[in-house]
Amino acid sequence: MISNDLHSALAPIVANYEPQQIIVVTTQNIYSCRPEVAALGYTTLILQGGEENKSLATIQVIWDFLLSHHITRRGLIICFGGGVLTDLGGFAAGTYKRGIDYVNIPTTLLAMVDASTGGKTGFNYGGLKNCIGSFYAPIETIICPMLLDSLPVSQLLSGYAEMLKHALLANDDEWNRLLRLDWNQPDMNALAPLIENSLRIKQHIVENDPHEQGLRKALNLGHTVGHSLEEIQLADLSSNDRWLHGYAVFYGLIAELYLSVVRFGFPRLPLQQLTDLMVHVYGRPHCKCSDRERLIALMLQDKKNEHADEINCTLLRAIGQPVINCIISPNEMNEALDYLFSL
Ligand SMILES: NC(=O)c1ccc[n+]([C@@H]2O[C@H](COP(=O)([O-])OP(=O)(O)OC[C@H]3O[C@@H](n4cnc5c(N)ncnc54)[C@H](O)[C@@H]3O)[C@@H](O)[C@H]2O)c1
């Protein structure tokens, strides 16, 4: 549901639970910058945010909090935050007492258009992104675009990358509409209808394949390369310079569109348009050519692979025509990474 009136949107939902059985889970950062959290008036668990805290230890903090507040199977968690928080809160809800209800109130563009819908939950483990997780859908996701007014532009761009991916899976009109957004002067009023379209594209795909048996794999476009870029940074504990999930996906889209051009004759124009966006808006990936071997090794262990020792990608024949389960050889991937790092 899309609404800037959080109270009215929540009222019919919370009416079904005893107030002492409702727990809000959020992060320190959100709690400080969004007065809407405290205004909800429910018992609130404030976690440390950040990808580095998307861990089993944080899940245990949530379980312990629920137990110590005597939350029963008739409880409700309100997950108020970005994608890290909604992934963690959803997993904790799905596993506590074999599953209690939860509602997502995403606060980043990325969480609004992607992470908070579709029911994928989980946390990072063993150095691998989202290695442990489950499918456990929220009873409702409330998209409140006004929450984006405190979000830094880099975080908006992170979400915009997932919107670009959705448009590539949908049609030329949506793609061209998205490219018209001017990132020199981002216009929040222009963003709201685009969020709605983007969500609709994702929901259409998820409803047709909730457990990722086929079509839903199309949503992995850009993510085989993207996840490996994120993982290489997770492994590098000394790096203070981590890029955001959407940036990794954005660079992944470039590499995977390159593979789509080579394998399926995908038109070059969208690849050129993404390259222009990289040069003028996102900036180049700070990766070295010598990282290629490690990236390919990480892709070979990706949980999307159906067999060990192969790289599985979603590619495109054209905008709106995804091809899932494309097996890419390490040599082909090497060439795509070469292309990306040489731009
Ligand atoms: N479950 C899924 O289907 C799915 C899909 C895509 C991504 N993800 C996951 O989502 C995560 C990334 O999510 P994210 O980009 O939202 O990151 P995030 O949750 O870490 O939030 C990004 C930053 O923005 C801050 N923030 C959030 N909302 C704000 C607001 N309104 N105003 C000011 N600051 C705000 C947060 O405190 C944080 O510092 C990754 O872990 C990724 O794996 C999950």
Side-chain angles (χ1 to χ4, degrees), residues 34-54:
R34 296 306 325 184
E36 294 87 350
V37 183
L40 292 177
Y42 299 111
T43 306
T44 300
L45 168 62
I46 303 173
L47 298 168
Q48 291 301 319
E51 194 67 40
E52 64 282 14
N53 290 308
K54 192 174 172 184

Side-chain angles (χ1 to χ4, degrees), residues 194-269:
L194 296 172
I195 294 174
E196 206 164 350
N197 290 353
S198 203
L199 253 180
R200 206 172 301 128
I201 296 166
K202 173 159 182 185
Q203 279 167 349
H204 174 75
I205 293 175
V206 169
E207 276 160 20
N208 283 292
D209 179 19
H211 292 104
E212 201 166 306
Q213 302 300 308
L215 178 66
R216 186 167 178 175
K217 291 182 182 169
L219 291 168
N220 292 328
L221 181 67
H223 283 63
T224 299
V225 174
H227 276 164
S228 72
L229 289 167
E230 283 188 283
E231 283 166 3
I232 212 168
Q233 289 200 327
L234 270 181
D236 181 3
L237 294 176
S238 64
S239 170
N240 294 318
D241 201 16
R242 295 187 203 290
W243 51 49
L244 305 176
H245 175 73
Y247 278 62
V249 170
F250 177 81
Y251 300 126
L253 285 176
I254 294 184
E256 294 179 23
L257 286 204
Y258 174 86
L259 288 166
S260 302
V261 170
V262 173
R263 181 155 311 177
F264 295 117
F266 179 80
R268 281 191 169 267
L269 179 62

Side-chain angles (χ1 to χ4, degrees), residues 27 30 79-88 105-108 110-111 115-116:
T27 64
I30 311 281
C79 300
F80 203 125
V84 167
L85 192 275
T86 56
D87 275 12
L88 283 165
I105 303 180
T107 60
T108 62
L110 186 130
S116 66

